[in-house]
Short mmCIF file of all heavy atoms in Angstrom, two decimals:
data_model
loop_
_atom_site.label_atom_id
_atom_site.label_comp_id
_atom_site.label_asym_id
_atom_site.label_seq_id
_atom_site.Cartn_x
_atom_site.Cartn_y
_atom_site.Cartn_z
N THR H 5 -5.69 -6.49 -7.31
CA THR H 5 -5.96 -7.48 -6.37
C THR H 5 -6.38 -8.89 -6.94
O THR H 5 -5.85 -9.87 -6.61
CB THR H 5 -6.95 -7.03 -5.26
OG1 THR H 5 -6.43 -5.83 -4.57
CG2 THR H 5 -7.21 -8.14 -4.22
N THR H 6 -7.34 -8.73 -7.87
CA THR H 6 -7.86 -9.92 -8.49
C THR H 6 -6.70 -10.66 -9.26
O THR H 6 -6.57 -11.93 -9.18
CB THR H 6 -8.99 -9.51 -9.47
OG1 THR H 6 -9.99 -9.04 -8.70
CG2 THR H 6 -9.49 -10.81 -10.12
N GLU H 7 -5.90 -9.93 -10.02
CA GLU H 7 -4.80 -10.51 -10.85
C GLU H 7 -3.75 -11.16 -9.87
O GLU H 7 -3.31 -12.27 -10.11
CB GLU H 7 -4.23 -9.45 -11.69
CG GLU H 7 -3.05 -9.97 -12.54
CD GLU H 7 -3.57 -10.92 -13.58
OE1 GLU H 7 -4.72 -10.90 -13.95
OE2 GLU H 7 -2.65 -11.77 -14.09
N LEU H 8 -3.47 -10.39 -8.86
CA LEU H 8 -2.37 -10.92 -7.95
C LEU H 8 -2.81 -12.15 -7.16
O LEU H 8 -2.03 -13.11 -6.85
CB LEU H 8 -1.89 -9.82 -6.94
CG LEU H 8 -1.10 -8.61 -7.62
CD1 LEU H 8 -0.70 -7.64 -6.62
CD2 LEU H 8 0.08 -9.09 -8.45
N ASN H 9 -4.09 -12.13 -6.76
CA ASN H 9 -4.65 -13.28 -6.02
C ASN H 9 -4.64 -14.64 -6.87
O ASN H 9 -4.48 -15.62 -6.37
CB ASN H 9 -6.02 -12.97 -5.49
CG ASN H 9 -6.05 -11.96 -4.38
OD1 ASN H 9 -7.17 -11.42 -4.04
ND2 ASN H 9 -4.87 -11.69 -3.76
N LYS H 10 -4.76 -14.32 -8.27
CA LYS H 10 -4.74 -15.54 -9.11
C LYS H 10 -3.39 -16.19 -9.03
O LYS H 10 -3.30 -17.46 -9.29
CB LYS H 10 -4.95 -15.02 -10.57
CG LYS H 10 -6.40 -14.60 -10.91
CD LYS H 10 -6.47 -14.22 -12.31
CE LYS H 10 -7.81 -13.68 -12.74
NZ LYS H 10 -7.81 -13.23 -14.21
N TRP H 11 -2.39 -15.40 -8.75
CA TRP H 11 -1.02 -15.97 -8.72
C TRP H 11 -0.64 -16.30 -7.21
O TRP H 11 0.54 -16.54 -6.93
CB TRP H 11 0.01 -15.00 -9.28
CG TRP H 11 -0.12 -14.87 -10.77
CD1 TRP H 11 -1.05 -14.08 -11.44
CD2 TRP H 11 0.54 -15.59 -11.68
NE1 TRP H 11 -0.88 -14.25 -12.81
CE2 TRP H 11 0.12 -15.19 -12.98
CE3 TRP H 11 1.63 -16.54 -11.75
CZ2 TRP H 11 0.58 -15.69 -14.25
CZ3 TRP H 11 2.12 -17.05 -12.86
CH2 TRP H 11 1.61 -16.59 -14.16
N LYS H 12 -1.58 -16.35 -6.44
CA LYS H 12 -1.47 -16.68 -4.97
C LYS H 12 -0.67 -15.70 -4.20
O LYS H 12 -0.14 -16.04 -3.10
CB LYS H 12 -0.86 -18.07 -4.89
CG LYS H 12 -1.51 -19.18 -5.70
CD LYS H 12 -2.95 -19.35 -5.20
CE LYS H 12 -3.63 -20.39 -5.96
NZ LYS H 12 -5.07 -20.58 -5.74
N TYR H 13 -0.60 -14.49 -4.56
CA TYR H 13 0.08 -13.38 -3.78
C TYR H 13 -0.95 -12.87 -2.85
O TYR H 13 -2.13 -12.75 -3.03
CB TYR H 13 0.48 -12.29 -4.70
CG TYR H 13 1.63 -12.52 -5.69
CD1 TYR H 13 1.48 -12.38 -7.05
CD2 TYR H 13 2.79 -13.15 -5.16
CE1 TYR H 13 2.55 -12.63 -7.84
CE2 TYR H 13 3.86 -13.48 -6.00
CZ TYR H 13 3.72 -13.25 -7.35
OH TYR H 13 4.77 -13.57 -8.21
N THR H 14 -0.49 -12.58 -1.64
CA THR H 14 -1.42 -11.96 -0.58
C THR H 14 -1.33 -10.46 -0.82
O THR H 14 -0.20 -9.85 -1.05
CB THR H 14 -0.77 -12.28 0.84
OG1 THR H 14 -0.79 -13.61 0.98
CG2 THR H 14 -1.66 -11.61 1.86
N THR H 15 -2.53 -9.81 -0.75
CA THR H 15 -2.56 -8.33 -1.04
C THR H 15 -3.09 -7.58 0.17
O THR H 15 -3.93 -8.19 0.95
CB THR H 15 -3.46 -8.05 -2.22
OG1 THR H 15 -4.75 -8.60 -2.03
CG2 THR H 15 -2.83 -8.56 -3.50
N ILE H 16 -2.52 -6.48 0.43
CA ILE H 16 -2.91 -5.71 1.57
C ILE H 16 -3.15 -4.23 1.07
O ILE H 16 -2.44 -3.69 0.20
CB ILE H 16 -1.81 -5.65 2.68
CG1 ILE H 16 -1.48 -7.02 3.13
CG2 ILE H 16 -2.29 -4.79 3.91
CD1 ILE H 16 -0.13 -7.11 3.95
N THR H 17 -4.14 -3.60 1.57
CA THR H 17 -4.52 -2.14 1.19
C THR H 17 -4.40 -1.27 2.45
O THR H 17 -4.42 -1.76 3.55
CB THR H 17 -5.84 -2.09 0.49
OG1 THR H 17 -6.85 -2.59 1.39
CG2 THR H 17 -5.86 -2.78 -0.81
N VAL H 18 -4.36 0.06 2.23
CA VAL H 18 -4.33 1.06 3.25
C VAL H 18 -5.62 1.12 4.06
O VAL H 18 -6.77 1.22 3.41
CB VAL H 18 -3.93 2.42 2.76
CG1 VAL H 18 -3.85 3.45 3.85
CG2 VAL H 18 -2.55 2.32 2.00
N HIS H 19 -5.61 1.17 5.40
CA HIS H 19 -6.79 1.39 6.18
C HIS H 19 -6.83 2.81 6.70
O HIS H 19 -7.88 3.35 6.84
CB HIS H 19 -6.86 0.38 7.31
CG HIS H 19 -7.05 -1.07 6.94
ND1 HIS H 19 -8.18 -1.53 6.37
CD2 HIS H 19 -6.21 -2.10 6.82
CE1 HIS H 19 -8.14 -2.78 6.08
NE2 HIS H 19 -6.86 -3.21 6.28
N ASP H 20 -5.68 3.34 7.08
CA ASP H 20 -5.61 4.66 7.66
C ASP H 20 -4.55 5.46 6.87
O ASP H 20 -3.44 5.28 6.85
CB ASP H 20 -5.09 4.55 9.03
CG ASP H 20 -5.12 5.95 9.86
OD1 ASP H 20 -5.21 6.88 9.16
OD2 ASP H 20 -4.74 5.87 11.05
N TRP H 21 -5.18 6.54 6.15
CA TRP H 21 -4.30 7.25 5.24
C TRP H 21 -3.43 8.30 5.90
O TRP H 21 -2.64 8.96 5.30
CB TRP H 21 -5.23 8.05 4.23
CG TRP H 21 -5.72 7.06 3.11
CD1 TRP H 21 -6.97 6.62 3.02
CD2 TRP H 21 -5.00 6.53 2.02
NE1 TRP H 21 -7.05 5.74 1.86
CE2 TRP H 21 -5.87 5.74 1.34
CE3 TRP H 21 -3.69 6.68 1.63
CZ2 TRP H 21 -5.49 5.01 0.24
CZ3 TRP H 21 -3.29 5.98 0.52
CH2 TRP H 21 -4.15 5.12 -0.19
N ASP H 22 -3.60 8.40 7.19
CA ASP H 22 -2.69 9.24 8.07
C ASP H 22 -1.49 8.55 8.52
O ASP H 22 -0.58 9.11 9.11
CB ASP H 22 -3.48 9.88 9.15
CG ASP H 22 -4.47 10.92 8.79
OD1 ASP H 22 -4.18 11.71 7.85
OD2 ASP H 22 -5.66 10.87 9.32
N HIS H 23 -1.48 7.22 8.38
CA HIS H 23 -0.42 6.38 8.97
C HIS H 23 0.02 5.31 8.01
O HIS H 23 0.17 4.09 8.37
CB HIS H 23 -0.77 5.80 10.28
CG HIS H 23 -1.13 6.81 11.38
ND1 HIS H 23 -2.45 7.19 11.55
CD2 HIS H 23 -0.36 7.51 12.19
CE1 HIS H 23 -2.46 8.19 12.49
NE2 HIS H 23 -1.25 8.27 12.94
N VAL H 24 0.18 5.68 6.71
CA VAL H 24 0.57 4.62 5.74
C VAL H 24 1.91 4.00 5.97
O VAL H 24 2.06 2.79 5.95
CB VAL H 24 0.65 5.33 4.33
CG1 VAL H 24 1.11 4.35 3.24
CG2 VAL H 24 -0.75 5.87 3.97
N ASP H 25 2.85 4.83 6.43
CA ASP H 25 4.14 4.25 6.79
C ASP H 25 4.21 3.28 7.90
O ASP H 25 4.87 2.28 7.85
CB ASP H 25 5.17 5.33 7.10
CG ASP H 25 4.71 6.34 8.18
OD1 ASP H 25 3.49 6.36 8.46
OD2 ASP H 25 5.59 7.04 8.77
N THR H 26 3.34 3.45 8.94
CA THR H 26 3.22 2.61 10.04
C THR H 26 2.56 1.27 9.66
O THR H 26 2.93 0.15 9.99
CB THR H 26 2.41 3.27 11.15
OG1 THR H 26 2.95 4.40 11.63
CG2 THR H 26 2.23 2.27 12.36
N GLU H 27 1.57 1.40 8.77
CA GLU H 27 0.86 0.15 8.26
C GLU H 27 1.79 -0.72 7.50
O GLU H 27 1.79 -2.00 7.65
CB GLU H 27 -0.39 0.50 7.50
CG GLU H 27 -1.52 1.09 8.38
CD GLU H 27 -2.80 1.19 7.72
OE1 GLU H 27 -2.91 0.66 6.53
OE2 GLU H 27 -3.78 1.79 8.21
N ILE H 28 2.62 -0.09 6.68
CA ILE H 28 3.54 -0.81 5.75
C ILE H 28 4.62 -1.44 6.68
O ILE H 28 5.03 -2.72 6.49
CB ILE H 28 4.15 0.07 4.74
CG1 ILE H 28 3.08 0.48 3.70
CG2 ILE H 28 5.40 -0.57 4.09
CD1 ILE H 28 3.59 1.48 2.64
N ALA H 29 5.13 -0.78 7.63
CA ALA H 29 6.14 -1.24 8.55
C ALA H 29 5.66 -2.48 9.26
O ALA H 29 6.31 -3.50 9.49
CB ALA H 29 6.61 -0.20 9.45
N GLN H 30 4.32 -2.45 9.70
CA GLN H 30 3.79 -3.56 10.50
C GLN H 30 3.51 -4.77 9.55
O GLN H 30 3.62 -5.89 9.99
CB GLN H 30 2.52 -3.06 11.14
CG GLN H 30 2.72 -2.10 12.26
CD GLN H 30 1.38 -1.48 12.81
OE1 GLN H 30 0.31 -1.69 12.23
NE2 GLN H 30 1.52 -0.92 14.02
N ALA H 31 3.14 -4.50 8.36
CA ALA H 31 2.89 -5.56 7.39
C ALA H 31 4.10 -6.23 6.89
O ALA H 31 4.05 -7.40 6.52
CB ALA H 31 2.07 -5.02 6.24
N SER H 32 5.22 -5.53 6.80
CA SER H 32 6.49 -6.04 6.26
C SER H 32 6.27 -6.76 4.96
O SER H 32 6.56 -7.97 4.74
CB SER H 32 7.14 -7.02 7.31
OG SER H 32 8.37 -7.30 6.91
N PRO H 33 5.83 -6.07 3.93
CA PRO H 33 5.57 -6.65 2.68
C PRO H 33 6.75 -7.01 1.86
O PRO H 33 7.82 -6.52 2.11
CB PRO H 33 4.66 -5.63 1.95
CG PRO H 33 5.23 -4.32 2.45
CD PRO H 33 5.49 -4.60 3.95
N ASP H 34 6.65 -7.80 0.84
CA ASP H 34 7.73 -8.19 -0.05
C ASP H 34 7.87 -7.13 -1.14
O ASP H 34 8.99 -6.88 -1.64
CB ASP H 34 7.50 -9.52 -0.73
CG ASP H 34 7.53 -10.64 0.33
OD1 ASP H 34 8.57 -10.94 0.86
OD2 ASP H 34 6.46 -11.14 0.66
N ILE H 35 6.77 -6.51 -1.54
CA ILE H 35 6.78 -5.48 -2.58
C ILE H 35 5.58 -4.45 -2.28
O ILE H 35 4.67 -4.89 -1.65
CB ILE H 35 6.36 -6.09 -4.00
CG1 ILE H 35 7.35 -7.08 -4.50
CG2 ILE H 35 6.23 -4.91 -5.07
CD1 ILE H 35 8.62 -6.50 -5.08
N ILE H 36 5.95 -3.16 -2.53
CA ILE H 36 4.88 -2.14 -2.24
C ILE H 36 4.65 -1.56 -3.64
O ILE H 36 5.49 -1.09 -4.42
CB ILE H 36 5.49 -1.08 -1.35
CG1 ILE H 36 6.01 -1.71 -0.06
CG2 ILE H 36 4.40 -0.04 -0.99
CD1 ILE H 36 6.79 -0.75 0.83
N LEU H 37 3.28 -1.41 -3.88
CA LEU H 37 2.84 -0.64 -5.05
C LEU H 37 2.32 0.73 -4.65
O LEU H 37 1.44 0.81 -3.81
CB LEU H 37 1.68 -1.46 -5.83
CG LEU H 37 1.90 -2.93 -6.19
CD1 LEU H 37 0.82 -3.52 -6.92
CD2 LEU H 37 3.19 -3.01 -7.07
N PHE H 38 2.85 1.76 -5.23
CA PHE H 38 2.62 3.13 -4.78
C PHE H 38 2.02 4.01 -5.88
O PHE H 38 2.61 4.25 -6.90
CB PHE H 38 3.83 3.78 -4.28
CG PHE H 38 3.91 4.05 -2.81
CD1 PHE H 38 4.70 3.36 -1.99
CD2 PHE H 38 3.10 5.06 -2.27
CE1 PHE H 38 4.75 3.63 -0.58
CE2 PHE H 38 3.13 5.42 -0.95
CZ PHE H 38 3.97 4.62 -0.09
N ASP H 39 0.78 4.57 -5.63
CA ASP H 39 0.29 5.62 -6.40
C ASP H 39 0.89 6.88 -6.03
O ASP H 39 1.41 7.02 -4.95
CB ASP H 39 -1.22 5.67 -6.27
CG ASP H 39 -1.85 6.57 -7.47
OD1 ASP H 39 -1.27 6.91 -8.47
OD2 ASP H 39 -3.10 7.01 -7.22
N ILE H 40 0.85 7.94 -6.84
CA ILE H 40 1.32 9.23 -6.53
C ILE H 40 0.27 10.15 -5.90
O ILE H 40 0.55 10.83 -4.92
CB ILE H 40 1.88 10.00 -7.81
CG1 ILE H 40 3.13 9.20 -8.32
CG2 ILE H 40 2.32 11.43 -7.45
CD1 ILE H 40 4.33 9.09 -7.34
N THR H 41 -0.89 10.22 -6.50
CA THR H 41 -1.98 11.16 -6.03
C THR H 41 -2.76 10.31 -5.00
O THR H 41 -3.53 9.35 -5.37
CB THR H 41 -2.88 11.53 -7.12
OG1 THR H 41 -2.13 12.21 -8.12
CG2 THR H 41 -3.99 12.50 -6.67
N LEU H 42 -2.77 10.82 -3.78
CA LEU H 42 -3.35 9.97 -2.68
C LEU H 42 -4.15 11.04 -1.79
O LEU H 42 -4.00 12.20 -1.89
CB LEU H 42 -2.25 9.33 -1.78
CG LEU H 42 -1.44 8.23 -2.57
CD1 LEU H 42 -0.15 7.80 -1.66
CD2 LEU H 42 -2.26 7.07 -2.92
N PRO H 43 -5.09 10.42 -0.90
CA PRO H 43 -6.08 11.29 -0.16
C PRO H 43 -5.40 12.26 0.78
O PRO H 43 -5.87 13.34 0.86
CB PRO H 43 -6.87 10.24 0.61
CG PRO H 43 -6.72 8.95 -0.14
CD PRO H 43 -5.32 8.99 -0.81
N THR H 44 -4.32 11.92 1.42
CA THR H 44 -3.79 12.86 2.37
C THR H 44 -2.47 13.44 1.82
O THR H 44 -2.46 14.35 1.00
CB THR H 44 -3.43 12.17 3.73
OG1 THR H 44 -2.61 10.99 3.49
CG2 THR H 44 -4.70 11.74 4.48
N PHE H 45 -1.32 12.97 2.25
CA PHE H 45 -0.04 13.34 1.58
C PHE H 45 0.21 12.59 0.29
O PHE H 45 -0.34 11.60 0.06
CB PHE H 45 1.15 13.05 2.53
CG PHE H 45 0.99 13.81 3.83
CD1 PHE H 45 0.61 13.12 4.97
CD2 PHE H 45 1.25 15.18 3.94
CE1 PHE H 45 0.44 13.82 6.22
CE2 PHE H 45 1.03 15.79 5.14
CZ PHE H 45 0.73 15.14 6.28
N ASP H 46 0.96 13.19 -0.63
CA ASP H 46 1.13 12.48 -1.91
C ASP H 46 2.17 11.34 -1.83
O ASP H 46 2.79 11.12 -0.71
CB ASP H 46 1.59 13.48 -2.99
CG ASP H 46 2.90 14.17 -2.72
OD1 ASP H 46 3.77 13.55 -1.90
OD2 ASP H 46 3.11 15.21 -3.28
N GLY H 47 2.35 10.62 -2.89
CA GLY H 47 3.21 9.53 -2.83
C GLY H 47 4.65 9.78 -2.60
O GLY H 47 5.36 9.04 -1.92
N PHE H 48 5.07 10.96 -2.95
CA PHE H 48 6.48 11.32 -2.69
C PHE H 48 6.77 11.39 -1.21
O PHE H 48 7.77 10.92 -0.72
CB PHE H 48 6.81 12.72 -3.32
CG PHE H 48 6.50 12.72 -4.83
CD1 PHE H 48 5.78 13.85 -5.30
CD2 PHE H 48 7.04 11.92 -5.74
CE1 PHE H 48 5.46 13.88 -6.65
CE2 PHE H 48 6.73 11.94 -7.04
CZ PHE H 48 6.05 12.97 -7.54
N TYR H 49 5.80 12.08 -0.51
CA TYR H 49 5.98 12.15 0.92
C TYR H 49 5.96 10.80 1.54
O TYR H 49 6.84 10.45 2.44
CB TYR H 49 4.72 12.95 1.47
CG TYR H 49 4.65 12.94 2.99
CD1 TYR H 49 5.28 13.87 3.76
CD2 TYR H 49 3.97 11.91 3.69
CE1 TYR H 49 5.23 13.90 5.12
CE2 TYR H 49 3.95 11.89 5.12
CZ TYR H 49 4.56 12.91 5.80
OH TYR H 49 4.51 12.82 7.15
N TRP H 50 5.05 9.86 1.11
CA TRP H 50 4.97 8.51 1.82
C TRP H 50 6.14 7.65 1.44
O TRP H 50 6.61 6.86 2.30
CB TRP H 50 3.64 7.91 1.47
CG TRP H 50 2.48 8.48 2.23
CD1 TRP H 50 1.31 9.02 1.59
CD2 TRP H 50 2.32 8.54 3.63
NE1 TRP H 50 0.55 9.44 2.62
CE2 TRP H 50 1.05 9.12 3.79
CE3 TRP H 50 3.05 8.18 4.69
CZ2 TRP H 50 0.58 9.44 5.10
CZ3 TRP H 50 2.59 8.40 5.98
CH2 TRP H 50 1.36 9.05 6.19
#
């Protein structure tokens, strides 16, 4: 976040790990950064 903000990119993080897909759809981001190991379902699922 610190690095991307330096380049004036807007960053968004997950608030509800049960509805990651819904949050992303609502945010309509230009790029998504995805980890594989996550609190609920893994990155492949999401």
